[in-house]
Amino acid sequence: MNTDIDYTPWSLLPVDMPKDTHPPIDYFYQHVAKHLIRDTVRIMANGIQIDLDKVEELEETLDQQLAKVKEELEGNPYVKAYLQQVATTQRTIAIETTKAKFRSVDEFRKPFKHSDMVHRSYFMYVFSKHHSLPLPATVLPSGVPKWTAALVNKFASSFPLLDKLLKGTLSETHPYIAQAMENLAIDKCKLYNSKYEQALEHPKELTIEFNPSSSKQKQEIFAMLGITSEAVSKTTGNESFTREEIEKINNETSNESIKHFTQCLIDHSYAAIVKNNFIAAFYKYTVNNRLYGQYKLVGAKSGNQGKR
């Protein structure tokens, strides 16, 4: 037998090499798709026999597999270290974001308005301290006694300054006004900032979970591990860790811990795809134990040329 003959599997078929052929535009339709139309319509009309009991068994198996993977990932030291890193980063961001919301007293300083009850009350609070006036029982949310115009008017005859206050002729540069508006600005500032001070003193508990389906989390955890990928996301431009890339890492690594971690991701990927893409469809499109679907001839990218 002559073993020097150069041949390929293509030489055993009654067709030319693809690189040597230039079929017409409708070649695929005329020679392939056209002959499948009748069977495709028949399948769509009649459906395919399916045992939903077996589907339920498969779903249960997938749920068990996903639960097992979740448990293993939750206990994985790489995942724990990653989640701790994420939590630290998020806490830092939360603190800086909260601090950025604080406002200064200057932002609450406003011109004095004689007709404003709050402004009047703060003025009277200062005035009362200097002249020992009895304070009203009703107070503002800040705790400063609330002075209505009628209450002020009771003392206006004894204090000309109060008469000017009621008439709106008191100079805004008066020391009592300056002190009153400063006190008001400080109280408003404290009230505004208090909720953010509380947030810093009692930060919310962060609930962070590792999602093996998250492209972002996989990219970040592999970056933490110093593992790179040759694939790049068309959306973000970052390294992409598809199942194929993770399988490649799994096959090439000699690190058993990395191998175990990547195998968990692989197992989750397969189980999640079947459960999310197929199980739900089996239930939705099965009628009287027959699965009905729609088929698109030359619908795949490989058939685009034949569709034209």
Side-chain angles (χ1 to χ4, degrees), residues 29-116:
Y29 172 77
Q30 293 293 341
H31 292 80
V32 179
K34 180 179 179 180
H35 305 283
L36 295 175
I37 292 176
R38 180 179 299 175
D39 291 332
T40 300
V41 172
R42 184 165 58 247
I43 291 174
M44 285 193 290
N46 298 328
I48 301 174
Q49 186 71 32
I50 189 169
D51 186 345
L52 286 180
D53 290 336
K54 295 297 183 182
V55 173
E56 291 180 2
E57 290 180 16
L58 175 58
E59 183 180 23
E60 183 178 350
T61 300
L62 293 171
D63 286 338
Q64 292 173 354
Q65 177 67 27
L66 290 171
K68 179 183 177 182
V69 170
K70 180 180 179 181
E71 181 180 359
E72 292 186 3
L73 287 175
E74 286 177 347
N76 187 279
Y78 296 142
V79 173
K80 288 183 176 180
Y82 167 72
L83 293 180
Q84 181 62 44
Q85 185 182 90
V86 172
T88 300
T89 301
Q90 289 192 5
R91 276 193 291 268
T92 301
I93 293 173
I95 290 172
E96 294 304 317
T97 301
T98 301
K99 287 182 177 179
K101 293 178 180 179
F102 277 76
R103 294 173 65 178
S104 67
V105 174
D106 287 340
E107 296 179 74
F108 293 92
R109 290 193 175 97
K110 303 293 181 182
F112 181 78
K113 292 183 180 180
H114 292 77
S115 60
D116 190 302

Coordinates of all heavy atoms in Angstrom, one line a residue, residues 29-116:
Y29 N -30.2 27.2 -1.2 CA -31.6 27.1 -1.1 C -32.1 25.9 -2.1 O -32.9 25.1 -1.6 CB -32.3 28.4 -1.5 CG -33.8 28.2 -1.7 CD1 -34.6 28.1 -0.6 CD2 -34.4 28.1 -3.0 CE1 -36.0 28.0 -0.7 CE2 -35.8 27.9 -3.1 CZ -36.6 27.9 -2.0 OH -37.9 27.7 -2.1
Q30 N -31.6 26.0 -3.3 CA -32.1 25.0 -4.3 C -31.6 23.6 -3.9 O -32.4 22.6 -4.2 CB -31.5 25.3 -5.7 CG -32.1 26.6 -6.2 CD -33.5 26.5 -6.6 OE1 -34.1 25.4 -6.7 NE2 -34.2 27.6 -6.7
H31 N -30.5 23.4 -3.3 CA -29.9 22.1 -3.1 C -30.1 21.5 -1.7 O -30.0 20.3 -1.4 CB -28.4 22.0 -3.4 CG -28.2 22.2 -4.9 ND1 -28.2 23.4 -5.5 CD2 -28.0 21.2 -5.9 CE1 -27.9 23.2 -6.8 NE2 -27.8 21.9 -7.1
V32 N -30.4 22.5 -0.7 CA -30.6 22.0 0.7 C -31.9 22.5 1.3 O -32.8 21.7 1.6 CB -29.4 22.6 1.6 CG1 -29.6 22.1 3.0 CG2 -28.1 22.1 1.0
A33 N -32.1 23.8 1.4 CA -33.3 24.3 2.2 C -34.6 23.9 1.5 O -35.5 23.5 2.2 CB -33.1 25.8 2.3
K34 N -34.6 24.0 0.2 CA -35.9 23.7 -0.5 C -36.4 22.3 -0.2 O -37.6 22.1 -0.1 CB -35.6 23.9 -2.0 CG -36.8 23.6 -2.9 CD -36.5 23.9 -4.3 CE -37.7 23.6 -5.3 NZ -37.3 23.8 -6.7
H35 N -35.5 21.4 -0.1 CA -35.9 20.0 0.1 C -36.3 19.7 1.6 O -36.8 18.6 1.9 CB -34.8 19.1 -0.3 CG -34.4 19.3 -1.7 ND1 -35.1 18.9 -2.8 CD2 -33.3 20.0 -2.2 CE1 -34.5 19.2 -3.9 NE2 -33.4 19.9 -3.6
L36 N -36.0 20.7 2.5 CA -36.4 20.5 3.9 C -37.7 21.2 4.3 O -38.2 21.0 5.4 CB -35.3 21.1 4.8 CG -33.9 20.4 4.7 CD1 -32.9 21.2 5.5 CD2 -34.0 18.9 5.2
I37 N -38.3 21.9 3.4 CA -39.5 22.7 3.7 C -40.6 21.8 4.1 O -41.3 22.1 5.2 CB -39.9 23.6 2.5 CG1 -38.8 24.7 2.3 CG2 -41.3 24.2 2.7 CD1 -39.1 25.5 1.0
R38 N -40.9 20.8 3.4 CA -42.0 19.9 3.7 C -41.9 19.3 5.0 O -42.8 19.3 5.9 CB -42.2 18.8 2.6 CG -43.3 17.9 2.9 CD -43.5 16.9 1.8 NE -43.7 17.5 0.5 CZ -43.7 16.8 -0.7 NH1 -43.6 15.5 -0.7 NH2 -44.0 17.5 -1.8
D39 N -40.7 18.7 5.3 CA -40.5 18.1 6.6 C -40.5 19.1 7.8 O -41.0 18.8 8.9 CB -39.1 17.4 6.7 CG -39.1 16.2 5.8 OD1 -40.2 15.6 5.6 OD2 -38.1 15.8 5.3
T40 N -40.0 20.3 7.5 CA -40.0 21.4 8.5 C -41.5 21.8 8.9 O -41.8 21.9 10.1 CB -39.3 22.6 8.1 OG1 -37.9 22.2 7.8 CG2 -39.3 23.7 9.1
V41 N -42.3 21.9 7.9 CA -43.7 22.3 8.1 C -44.4 21.2 8.9 O -45.2 21.4 9.8 CB -44.4 22.6 6.8 CG1 -45.9 22.8 7.0 CG2 -43.8 23.8 6.1
R42 N -44.1 19.9 8.5 CA -44.8 18.8 9.1 C -44.4 18.7 10.6 O -45.2 18.4 11.5 CB -44.4 17.5 8.4 CG -45.1 16.3 9.0 CD -45.0 15.1 8.1 NE -43.7 14.7 7.8 CZ -43.1 14.7 6.6 NH1 -43.8 15.2 5.6 NH2 -41.8 14.4 6.4
I43 N -43.1 19.0 10.9 CA -42.7 18.9 12.3 C -43.3 20.0 13.1 O -43.8 19.8 14.2 CB -41.1 19.1 12.4 CG1 -40.4 17.9 11.8 CG2 -40.7 19.3 13.8 CD1 -38.9 18.0 11.7
M44 N -43.4 21.2 12.5 CA -44.1 22.4 13.2 C -45.6 22.1 13.5 O -46.1 22.5 14.5 CB -43.9 23.7 12.5 CG -42.5 24.2 12.6 SD -42.3 25.9 12.0 CE -42.6 25.7 10.2
A45 N -46.2 21.4 12.5 CA -47.6 21.2 12.6 C -47.9 20.0 13.6 O -48.9 20.1 14.3 CB -48.2 20.8 11.2
N46 N -47.1 19.0 13.6 CA -47.3 17.8 14.4 C -46.6 17.8 15.8 O -47.0 17.1 16.7 CB -47.0 16.5 13.6 CG -47.8 16.4 12.4 OD1 -48.9 16.8 12.3 ND2 -47.2 15.8 11.3
G47 N -45.6 18.6 15.9 CA -44.8 18.6 17.1 C -44.0 17.3 17.3 O -44.0 16.5 16.4
I48 N -43.3 17.3 18.4 CA -42.4 16.1 18.7 C -42.9 15.5 20.0 O -43.2 16.2 21.0 CB -41.0 16.6 18.8 CG1 -40.5 17.2 17.5 CG2 -40.1 15.4 19.2 CD1 -39.1 17.8 17.5
Q49 N -43.0 14.2 20.1 CA -43.4 13.5 21.3 C -42.4 13.8 22.4 O -41.2 13.8 22.2 CB -43.4 12.0 21.1 CG -44.0 11.2 22.2 CD -45.5 11.4 22.5 OE1 -46.2 11.6 21.5 NE2 -45.9 11.4 23.7
I50 N -42.9 14.2 23.6 CA -42.0 14.5 24.7 C -42.7 14.0 26.0 O -43.9 14.0 26.2 CB -41.8 16.0 24.8 CG1 -40.7 16.4 25.8 CG2 -43.1 16.8 25.1 CD1 -40.2 17.8 25.7
D51 N -41.8 13.6 26.9 CA -42.3 13.0 28.2 C -42.0 14.1 29.2 O -40.8 14.3 29.6 CB -41.6 11.7 28.5 CG -42.1 11.1 29.8 OD1 -42.8 11.8 30.5 OD2 -41.8 9.9 30.0
L52 N -43.0 14.8 29.7 CA -42.8 15.9 30.7 C -42.3 15.4 32.0 O -41.7 16.1 32.8 CB -44.1 16.7 30.9 CG -44.5 17.6 29.7 CD1 -45.8 18.3 30.0 CD2 -43.4 18.6 29.4
D53 N -42.6 14.1 32.3 CA -42.1 13.5 33.6 C -40.5 13.5 33.5 O -39.9 13.8 34.5 CB -42.6 12.1 33.8 CG -44.1 12.1 34.1 OD1 -44.6 13.1 34.6 OD2 -44.7 11.1 33.9
K54 N -40.0 13.2 32.3 CA -38.6 13.2 32.1 C -38.0 14.6 32.2 O -36.9 14.9 32.7 CB -38.2 12.5 30.8 CG -38.5 11.1 30.7 CD -37.8 10.3 31.7 CE -38.1 8.8 31.6 NZ -37.3 8.0 32.6
V55 N -38.8 15.6 31.7 CA -38.4 17.0 31.8 C -38.3 17.4 33.2 O -37.3 18.1 33.6 CB -39.4 17.9 31.0 CG1 -39.0 19.4 31.2 CG2 -39.4 17.5 29.5
E56 N -39.3 17.0 34.0 CA -39.2 17.3 35.5 C -38.0 16.7 36.2 O -37.4 17.3 37.0 CB -40.5 16.9 36.1 CG -41.8 17.7 35.7 CD -43.0 17.2 36.4 OE1 -43.0 16.2 37.2 OE2 -44.1 17.7 36.1
E57 N -37.7 15.4 35.8 CA -36.6 14.8 36.4 C -35.3 15.5 36.0 O -34.4 15.7 36.8 CB -36.5 13.3 35.9 CG -37.5 12.4 36.4 CD -37.4 11.0 35.9 OE1 -36.3 10.7 35.3 OE2 -38.4 10.2 36.0
L58 N -35.2 16.0 34.7 CA -34.1 16.7 34.3 C -34.0 18.0 35.0 O -32.9 18.5 35.5 CB -34.1 17.0 32.8 CG -33.0 17.9 32.2 CD1 -31.7 17.3 32.4 CD2 -33.3 18.0 30.7
E59 N -35.1 18.7 35.2 CA -35.1 20.0 35.9 C -34.6 19.8 37.3 O -33.8 20.6 37.9 CB -36.5 20.6 35.9 CG -36.5 22.0 36.6 CD -37.9 22.6 36.5 OE1 -38.9 21.8 36.4 OE2 -38.0 23.8 36.7
E60 N -35.1 18.7 38.0 CA -34.6 18.5 39.4 C -33.1 18.2 39.4 O -32.5 18.7 40.3 CB -35.4 17.3 39.9 CG -35.1 17.0 41.4 CD -35.9 15.8 41.9 OE1 -36.9 15.3 41.2 OE2 -35.6 15.3 43.0
T61 N -32.6 17.5 38.5 CA -31.2 17.2 38.4 C -30.4 18.5 38.2 O -29.4 18.7 38.9 CB -30.9 16.2 37.3 OG1 -31.6 15.0 37.5 CG2 -29.4 15.9 37.2
L62 N -30.9 19.3 37.3 CA -30.2 20.6 37.1 C -30.3 21.5 38.3 O -29.3 22.1 38.7 CB -30.9 21.3 35.9 CG -30.7 20.7 34.6 CD1 -31.6 21.4 33.5 CD2 -29.3 20.7 34.1
D63 N -31.4 21.5 39.0 CA -31.5 22.3 40.3 C -30.5 21.8 41.3 O -29.9 22.6 42.0 CB -32.9 22.2 40.8 CG -33.9 23.1 40.0 OD1 -33.4 24.0 39.3 OD2 -35.1 22.8 40.1
Q64 N -30.4 20.5 41.4 CA -29.4 19.9 42.3 C -28.0 20.3 42.0 O -27.2 20.6 42.8 CB -29.6 18.4 42.4 CG -30.9 17.9 43.0 CD -31.1 16.4 42.9 OE1 -30.3 15.7 42.2 NE2 -32.2 15.9 43.5
Q65 N -27.7 20.2 40.7 CA -26.4 20.6 40.2 C -26.1 22.1 40.5 O -25.0 22.4 41.0 CB -26.3 20.3 38.7 CG -24.9 20.7 38.1 CD -23.8 19.9 38.5 OE1 -24.0 18.7 38.9 NE2 -22.6 20.4 38.5
L66 N -27.0 22.9 40.2 CA -26.8 24.4 40.4 C -26.7 24.7 41.9 O -25.9 25.5 42.3 CB -28.0 25.2 39.8 CG -28.1 25.2 38.3 CD1 -29.4 25.8 37.8 CD2 -26.9 26.0 37.7
A67 N -27.4 24.0 42.7 CA -27.3 24.2 44.2 C -26.0 23.7 44.7 O -25.4 24.4 45.6 CB -28.4 23.4 44.9
K68 N -25.5 22.6 44.2 CA -24.2 22.1 44.6 C -23.1 23.1 44.2 O -22.2 23.4 45.0 CB -24.0 20.7 43.9 CG -22.6 20.1 44.3 CD -22.4 18.8 43.5 CE -21.0 18.2 43.8 NZ -20.7 17.0 43.1
V69 N -23.2 23.6 42.9 CA -22.2 24.5 42.5 C -22.2 25.8 43.3 O -21.2 26.3 43.7 CB -22.4 24.9 41.0 CG1 -21.5 26.0 40.6 CG2 -22.1 23.7 40.1
K70 N -23.4 26.3 43.6 CA -23.5 27.5 44.4 C -22.9 27.3 45.8 O -22.2 28.2 46.3 CB -25.0 27.8 44.6 CG -25.2 29.1 45.5 CD -26.7 29.4 45.6 CE -26.9 30.6 46.5 NZ -28.4 30.9 46.7
E71 N -23.1 26.1 46.4 CA -22.6 25.8 47.7 C -21.0 25.8 47.7 O -20.3 26.3 48.5 CB -23.1 24.5 48.2 CG -22.6 24.1 49.6 CD -23.1 22.8 50.1 OE1 -23.9 22.2 49.4 OE2 -22.8 22.4 51.2
E72 N -20.5 25.2 46.6 CA -19.1 25.1 46.5 C -18.4 26.4 46.2 O -17.4 26.7 46.7 CB -18.7 24.1 45.4 CG -19.1 22.6 45.7 CD -18.6 21.7 44.6 OE1 -17.9 22.1 43.7 OE2 -18.9 20.5 44.7
L73 N -19.1 27.3 45.4 CA -18.6 28.6 45.1 C -18.6 29.5 46.4 O -17.7 30.3 46.6 CB -19.4 29.2 44.0 CG -19.1 28.7 42.6 CD1 -20.0 29.3 41.6 CD2 -17.6 28.9 42.2
E74 N -19.7 29.3 47.2 CA -19.8 30.1 48.4 C -18.7 29.8 49.4 O -18.2 30.7 50.1 CB -21.1 29.9 49.1 CG -22.3 30.6 48.4 CD -23.7 30.2 49.0 OE1 -23.7 29.3 49.8 OE2 -24.7 30.9 48.6
G75 N -18.2 28.6 49.4 CA -17.1 28.2 50.3 C -15.7 28.3 49.6 O -14.7 28.0 50.3
N76 N -15.7 28.7 48.4 CA -14.4 28.7 47.7 C -13.6 29.9 48.2 O -14.0 31.0 48.3 CB -14.6 28.9 46.2 CG -13.4 28.8 45.4 OD1 -12.6 29.8 45.2 ND2 -13.1 27.6 44.8
P77 N -12.3 29.7 48.5 CA -11.5 30.8 49.1 C -11.3 31.9 48.1 O -11.1 33.1 48.5 CB -10.1 30.0 49.4 CG -10.2 28.8 48.6 CD -11.6 28.4 48.5
Y78 N -11.2 31.6 46.8 CA -11.0 32.7 45.8 C -12.3 33.6 45.8 O -12.2 34.8 45.7 CB -10.8 32.1 44.4 CG -9.6 31.3 44.3 CD1 -9.5 30.1 43.5 CD2 -8.4 31.7 44.9 CE1 -8.4 29.4 43.3 CE2 -7.2 30.9 44.8 CZ -7.2 29.8 44.0 OH -6.1 29.1 43.8
V79 N -13.4 33.0 45.8 CA -14.7 33.7 45.8 C -14.8 34.6 47.1 O -15.2 35.7 47.1 CB -15.9 32.8 45.7 CG1 -17.2 33.6 45.8 CG2 -15.9 32.1 44.3
K80 N -14.4 34.0 48.2 CA -14.5 34.7 49.5 C -13.6 35.9 49.5 O -13.9 37.0 49.9 CB -14.1 33.8 50.7 CG -15.2 32.7 51.0 CD -14.8 31.9 52.2 CE -15.8 31.0 52.7 NZ -15.4 30.2 53.8
A81 N -12.4 35.7 49.0 CA -11.4 36.8 48.9 C -11.9 37.9 47.9 O -11.8 39.1 48.2 CB -10.1 36.3 48.4
Y82 N -12.5 37.5 46.8 CA -13.0 38.4 45.8 C -14.2 39.2 46.4 O -14.2 40.5 46.3 CB -13.5 37.7 44.6 CG -14.4 38.5 43.7 CD1 -13.8 39.6 42.9 CD2 -15.7 38.3 43.6 CE1 -14.6 40.4 42.1 CE2 -16.5 39.1 42.8 CZ -15.9 40.1 42.0 OH -16.7 40.9 41.2
L83 N -15.1 38.5 47.1 CA -16.3 39.2 47.7 C -15.8 40.2 48.8 O -16.4 41.3 49.0 CB -17.3 38.2 48.2 CG -18.0 37.4 47.2 CD1 -19.0 36.4 47.9 CD2 -18.7 38.2 46.2
Q84 N -14.8 39.8 49.5 CA -14.2 40.7 50.6 C -13.7 42.0 49.9 O -13.8 43.1 50.4 CB -13.2 40.0 51.4 CG -12.6 40.8 52.5 CD -13.6 41.2 53.5 OE1 -14.4 40.4 54.0 NE2 -13.5 42.5 54.0
Q85 N -13.0 41.8 48.8 CA -12.4 42.9 48.1 C -13.5 43.8 47.5 O -13.4 45.0 47.6 CB -11.6 42.3 46.9 CG -10.8 43.4 46.1 CD -10.0 42.7 45.0 OE1 -10.5 42.6 43.9 NE2 -8.8 42.3 45.2
V86 N -14.5 43.2 47.0 CA -15.7 44.0 46.5 C -16.3 44.8 47.6 O -16.7 46.0 47.4 CB -16.7 43.1 45.8 CG1 -17.9 43.9 45.4 CG2 -16.1 42.5 44.5
A87 N -16.5 44.1 48.7 CA -17.2 44.7 49.9 C -16.4 45.9 50.4 O -16.9 47.0 50.7 CB -17.4 43.7 51.0
T88 N -15.1 45.8 50.5 CA -14.2 46.8 50.9 C -14.3 48.0 49.9 O -14.4 49.2 50.4 CB -12.7 46.4 51.0 OG1 -12.7 45.3 51.9 CG2 -11.8 47.5 51.5
T89 N -14.3 47.7 48.7 CA -14.3 48.8 47.7 C -15.7 49.5 47.7 O -15.8 50.7 47.7 CB -14.1 48.2 46.2 OG1 -12.9 47.6 46.2 CG2 -14.2 49.3 45.2
Q90 N -16.8 48.7 47.9 CA -18.1 49.3 47.9 C -18.3 50.2 49.2 O -18.9 51.2 49.1 CB -19.2 48.2 47.8 CG -19.3 47.6 46.4 CD -20.5 46.8 46.2 OE1 -21.4 46.7 47.1 NE2 -20.6 46.1 45.1
R91 N -17.7 49.7 50.3 CA -17.8 50.5 51.5 C -17.1 51.8 51.4 O -17.6 52.9 51.8 CB -17.3 49.7 52.7 CG -18.3 48.7 53.3 CD -17.8 48.2 54.7 NE -16.7 47.3 54.5 CZ -16.8 46.0 54.4 NH1 -18.0 45.4 54.4 NH2 -15.7 45.3 54.3
T92 N -15.9 51.8 50.8 CA -15.1 53.0 50.5 C -15.9 53.9 49.7 O -16.0 55.2 49.9 CB -13.8 52.6 49.9 OG1 -13.1 51.8 50.8 CG2 -13.0 53.9 49.7
I93 N -16.5 53.4 48.6 CA -17.2 54.3 47.7 C -18.5 54.9 48.4 O -18.8 56.0 48.2 CB -17.7 53.4 46.4 CG1 -16.5 53.1 45.6 CG2 -18.7 54.2 45.6 CD1 -16.8 52.1 44.5
A94 N -19.1 54.0 49.2 CA -20.3 54.5 49.9 C -20.0 55.6 50.9 O -20.7 56.6 51.0 CB -21.0 53.3 50.7
I95 N -18.8 55.5 51.6 CA -18.4 56.5 52.5 C -18.1 57.8 51.8 O -18.5 58.9 52.2 CB -17.2 56.0 53.3 CG1 -17.6 54.9 54.3 CG2 -16.5 57.2 54.1 CD1 -16.4 54.2 55.0
E96 N -17.3 57.7 50.7 CA -16.9 58.9 50.0 C -18.2 59.5 49.3 O -18.3 60.8 49.3 CB -15.9 58.5 48.9 CG -14.6 58.0 49.4 CD -14.0 59.1 50.4 OE1 -14.0 60.3 50.0 OE2 -13.4 58.6 51.4
T97 N -19.1 58.7 48.9 CA -20.3 59.3 48.3 C -21.2 60.0 49.3 O -21.7 61.1 49.1 CB -21.2 58.1 47.7 OG1 -20.4 57.5 46.7 CG2 -22.5 58.7 47.0
T98 N -21.2 59.4 50.5 CA -22.0 60.0 51.6 C -21.3 61.3 52.1 O -22.0 62.3 52.3 CB -22.1 59.1 52.8 OG1 -22.8 57.9 52.4 CG2 -22.9 59.7 53.9
K99 N -20.0 61.3 52.2 CA -19.3 62.5 52.6 C -19.5 63.6 51.6 O -19.5 64.8 52.0 CB -17.8 62.2 52.8 CG -17.5 61.4 54.0 CD -16.0 61.2 54.2 CE -15.6 60.4 55.4 NZ -14.2 60.2 55.6
A100 N -19.6 63.3 50.4 CA -19.7 64.3 49.3 C -21.1 65.0 49.4 O -21.2 66.1 48.8 CB -19.5 63.7 47.9
K101 N -22.0 64.4 50.1 CA -23.4 65.0 50.2 C -23.5 66.0 51.3 O -24.5 66.7 51.4 CB -24.4 63.9 50.4 CG -24.5 62.9 49.2 CD -25.5 61.8 49.4 CE -25.7 60.9 48.2 NZ -26.6 59.8 48.5
F102 N -22.5 66.0 52.2 CA -22.5 67.0 53.3 C -22.4 68.4 52.7 O -21.8 68.7 51.7 CB -21.3 66.8 54.2 CG -21.5 65.7 55.3 CD1 -21.4 64.4 54.9 CD2 -21.8 66.1 56.6 CE1 -21.6 63.4 55.9 CE2 -22.0 65.1 57.5 CZ -21.9 63.8 57.2
R103 N -23.1 69.3 53.4 CA -23.2 70.7 53.0 C -22.6 71.6 54.1 O -22.7 71.3 55.3 CB -24.6 71.1 52.6 CG -25.1 70.4 51.4 CD -26.6 70.7 51.1 NE -26.8 72.1 50.8 CZ -28.0 72.6 50.4 NH1 -29.0 71.9 50.4 NH2 -28.1 73.9 50.2
S104 N -22.1 72.8 53.7 CA -21.5 73.7 54.7 C -22.6 74.7 55.2 O -23.6 74.9 54.5 CB -20.3 74.4 54.1 OG -20.8 75.3 53.1
V105 N -22.3 75.4 56.3 CA -23.2 76.4 56.8 C -23.4 77.5 55.8 O -24.5 78.0 55.7 CB -22.6 77.0 58.1 CG1 -23.5 78.1 58.6 CG2 -22.5 75.9 59.2
D106 N -22.3 77.8 55.0 CA -22.5 78.9 54.1 C -23.6 78.7 53.1 O -24.2 79.6 52.6 CB -21.1 79.1 53.3 CG -20.0 79.7 54.1 OD1 -20.4 80.3 55.1 OD2 -18.9 79.5 53.8
E107 N -23.8 77.4 52.8 CA -24.9 77.1 51.8 C -26.3 77.3 52.3 O -27.3 77.3 51.6 CB -24.7 75.6 51.3 CG -23.4 75.3 50.6 CD -23.3 73.9 50.2 OE1 -24.0 73.5 49.2 OE2 -22.5 73.1 50.9
F108 N -26.4 77.5 53.6 CA -27.7 77.7 54.2 C -27.9 79.2 54.7 O -29.0 79.5 55.2 CB -27.9 76.8 55.4 CG -28.0 75.4 55.0 CD1 -26.9 74.6 55.0 CD2 -29.2 74.8 54.7 CE1 -26.9 73.2 54.6 CE2 -29.3 73.5 54.3 CZ -28.1 72.7 54.2
R109 N -27.0 80.0 54.5 CA -27.1 81.4 54.9 C -28.1 82.1 53.9 O -27.8 82.1 52.7 CB -25.8 82.1 54.9 CG -24.9 81.7 56.1 CD -23.8 82.6 56.3 NE -23.0 82.2 57.5 CZ -21.9 81.5 57.5 NH1 -21.4 81.1 56.4 NH2 -21.3 81.2 58.6
K110 N -29.1 82.8 54.4 CA -30.1 83.5 53.5 C -30.3 84.9 54.1 O -30.1 85.2 55.3 CB -31.4 82.7 53.5 CG -31.3 81.2 53.1 CD -30.9 81.1 51.6 CE -30.8 79.7 51.2 NZ -30.4 79.5 49.8
P111 N -30.8 85.8 53.2 CA -31.2 87.1 53.7 C -32.3 87.1 54.6 O -33.2 86.2 54.5 CB -31.5 87.9 52.4 CG -30.9 87.1 51.3 CD -30.9 85.7 51.8
F112 N -32.4 88.0 55.6 CA -33.4 88.0 56.6 C -34.7 88.6 56.0 O -34.7 89.6 55.2 CB -33.0 88.9 57.8 CG -34.0 89.0 58.8 CD1 -34.2 87.9 59.8 CD2 -34.9 90.1 59.0 CE1 -35.1 88.0 60.8 CE2 -35.8 90.2 60.0 CZ -36.0 89.1 60.9
K113 N -35.8 87.9 56.3 CA -37.2 88.3 55.8 C -38.0 88.6 57.0 O -38.3 87.7 57.8 CB -37.8 87.3 54.9 CG -37.1 87.1 53.6 CD -37.9 86.1 52.7 CE -37.2 85.9 51.4 NZ -38.0 84.9 50.6
H114 N -38.5 89.9 57.2 CA -39.2 90.3 58.3 C -40.6 89.5 58.4 O -41.0 89.2 59.5 CB -39.6 91.8 58.3 CG -38.3 92.6 58.5 ND1 -37.4 92.8 57.4 CD2 -37.9 93.3 59.5 CE1 -36.5 93.6 57.9 NE2 -36.7 94.0 59.2
S115 N -41.1 89.1 57.3 CA -42.4 88.5 57.3 C -42.3 87.0 57.5 O -43.3 86.3 57.7 CB -43.2 88.8 56.0 OG -42.4 88.3 54.9
D116 N -41.1 86.4 57.4 CA -40.9 85.0 57.6 C -41.0 84.6 59.1 O -40.2 85.1 59.9 CB -39.6 84.6 57.0 CG -39.4 83.1 56.9 OD1 -39.5 82.4 57.9 OD2 -39.2 82.6 55.8

